[in-house]
Each structure stands twice: as C-alpha cells, then as structure tokens.
Amino acid sequence: MVIKSAVCSLPYKKEQSSVSLEDLFGQVLLSGFLTPIDRLRIRAVLLNESISEEHHAIINRLLYGVRRGFIKLVV
C-alpha cells in the first residue's frame, strides 16, 4: 500500500542528511512512514561496499515493517 502525501510527519532539514541509520530507524518506527529521502539514505547504505550486520538487520526490519503494513511508503 502506497500513500501519496505532500506532508511528512517529521520535519526534514538539509543538515539531517548525516542522520545515522539507527536514528533513521527510530524516526521511521515512530512516524510509521518511510519517505523518499529515507529510501535514498537506505539505498546509500546498501550501495556502500561494506555493510555491518547491525545495519543489515535494521534494513531487514524496515522492509519487514513495510511488507506487514506497519510502515507506509510516502510517495
């Protein structure tokens, strides 16, 4: 299920681009929404040559939440 919305539940600032994956995970779980900016950050982590087990587990948990409907995709 994809939700089209121009309004994000959390304010995003330009300086938030350095948000850690752990912080991103917390923000997404609290808001229940995965924004395009969040997806770009996750993609950047995945394209990194070495990904830690912890980051791999975080991404898997986010994907599980999307599949189960706990997390909605914002377009």
Side-chain angles (χ1 to χ4, degrees):
M1 177 179 193
V2 177
I3 296 176
K4 293 185 178 182
S5 173
V7 178
C8 183
S9 59
L10 292 174
Y12 283 92
K13 298 177 184 174
K14 289 185 181 179
E15 61 267 7
Q16 275 190 316
S17 62
S18 63
V19 172
S20 71
L21 191 59
E22 293 84 358
D23 292 336
L24 176 68
F25 180 68
Q27 289 175 358
V28 171
L29 285 184
L30 285 175
S31 70
F33 294 100
L34 192 65
T35 67
I37 294 170
D38 298 336
R39 294 194 300 270
L40 286 174
R41 290 180 182 144
I42 293 169
R43 185 181 305 152
V45 170
L46 288 172
L47 292 176
N48 189 359
E49 290 190 21
S50 62
I51 182 171
S52 69
E53 289 287 326
E54 181 179 322
H55 286 173
H56 192 263
I58 288 172
I59 293 169
N60 281 340
R61 288 183 195 128
L62 288 171
L63 292 174
Y64 178 82
V66 171
R67 282 194 318 264
R68 294 293 180 190
F70 306 132
I71 300 171
K72 308 289 187 243
L73 295 178
V74 177
V75 179

